[in-house]
Amino acid sequence: GAGVSQTPSNKVTEKGKYVELRCDPISGHTALYWYRQSLGQGPEFLIYFQGTGAADDSGLPNDRFFAVRPEGSVSTLKIQRTERGDSAVYLCASSFGVRRSGGTGELFFGEGSRLTVL
Amino acid sequence: AQSVTQPDIHITVSEGASLELRCNYSYGATPYLFWYVQSPGQGLQLLLKYFSGDTLVQGIKGFEAEFKRSQSSFNLRKPSVHWSDAAEYFCAVGVYNTDKLIFGTGTRLQVFP
């Protein structure tokens, strides 16, 4: 598609359940980012991939959160044993490349996946 | 550590009025600065960015921003606001030697006819 696609757009789950959120970046974008946006807050960095590898996962809040990008395109954010505090909008973004390697640094965001943990 | 402050949580203006949204950053070197807009049901869209050079940058939708190093500010301006500009606006700074962005908490703009 033309933009970053995220599925599902809405997910309601119960505390303790496992959740997967999917991101399909813009074709040709090598860098992919996950952010989390809680109510009334700005997006908070979680992790970013350059190609298939996680270049920086310092924003993941704890070991219940994990993300993969096995073929360098689609990425999945996985949350185990969900807690009510995980409720937020999870945003995915992609870019042509990181600034250090000549990319512009402009991120293109998807519409987000809203996660509600009951 | 880098940080971004947007002092105004909510701003209301009349259509046709001028607009200035404030952004202050904390950063040890020349920052990469961005303004994004988020409309309901839509993803964040880049309005403009500053990397270096001319401190007054032009963006899309008639927006501009001015980088003032002495004030650590990167305020967003528009001379005449349209009703379609109602949205949430986020200022962000790029973290040195990475591609992470640190966002402010946002300013919600409401436009009255």
Side-chain angles (χ1 to χ4, degrees):
Chain A
V4 176
S5 175
Q6 291 189 247
T7 54
S9 55
N10 277 286
K11 176 70 176 180
V12 180
T13 191
E14 295 178 342
K15 180 175 177 294
K17 298 291 188 182
Y18 169 80
V19 166
E20 288 190 353
L21 307 175
R22 173 189 168 106
C23 173
D24 198 341
I26 292 173
S27 178
H29 280 190
T30 59
L32 185 147
Y33 311 76
W34 284 99
Y35 283 78
R36 178 170 69 175
Q37 186 175 18
S38 301
L39 193 63
Q41 300 296 315
E44 175 189 3
F45 171 80
L46 295 178
I47 184 172
Y48 98 85
F49 293 86
Q50 181 62 28
T52 60
D56 184 342
D57 64 358
S58 62
L60 295 177
N62 51 60
D63 61 6
R64 296 187 296 106
F65 289 74
F66 189 71
V68 295
R69 194 187 186 198
E71 298 178 355
S73 179
V74 172
S75 176
T76 304
L77 179 66
K78 307 180 181 193
I79 309 173
Q80 298 177 320
R81 306 182 303 280
T82 52
E83 299 177 356
R84 292 192 180 88
D86 299 334
S87 296
V89 176
Y90 289 82
L91 299 171
C92 178
S94 66
S95 74
F96 283 110
V98 300
R99 275 197 307 278
R100 285 172 290 162
S101 60
T104 66
E106 177 178 353
L107 304 187
F108 295 81
F109 283 84
E111 296 181 15
S113 293
R114 181 177 298 278
L115 174 65
T116 303
V117 182
L118 302 177
Chain B
Q2 296 92 345
S3 66
V4 175
T5 302
Q6 293 182 248
D8 305 305
I9 297 173
H10 186 201
I11 284 183
T12 301
V13 299
S14 298
E15 190 170 19
S18 63
L19 173 70
E20 182 168 28
L21 302 183
R22 295 184 291 166
C23 172
N24 294 97
Y25 66 88
S26 172
Y27 195 78
T30 300
Y32 295 111
L33 294 163
F34 305 79
W35 274 100
Y36 279 84
V37 61
Q38 187 176 40
S39 298
Q42 298 186 23
L44 288 155
Q45 181 183 23
L46 180 69
L47 285 176
L48 47 78
K49 61 190 177 191
Y50 172 79
F51 285 176
S52 64
D54 192 347
T55 57
L56 183 63
V57 293
Q58 303 297 321
I60 62 171
K61 303 185 180 186
F63 285 93
E64 67 177 25
E66 186 171 12
F67 169 60
K68 292 186 177 180
R69 185 188 301 276
S70 61
Q71 298 177 19
S72 297
S73 69
F74 189 57
N75 294 349
L76 182 72
R77 301 194 294 249
K78 186 170 184 177
S80 178
V81 170
H82 188 262
W83 64 267
S84 61
D85 294 325
E88 185 104 26
Y89 291 80
F90 293 94
C91 181
V93 64
V95 177
Y96 176 73
N97 208 32
T98 76
D99 283 274
K100 294 188 289 191
L101 296 181
I102 294 178
F103 286 85
T105 51
T107 297
R108 179 165 298 279
L109 175 65
Q110 192 170 8
V111 181
F112 281 114

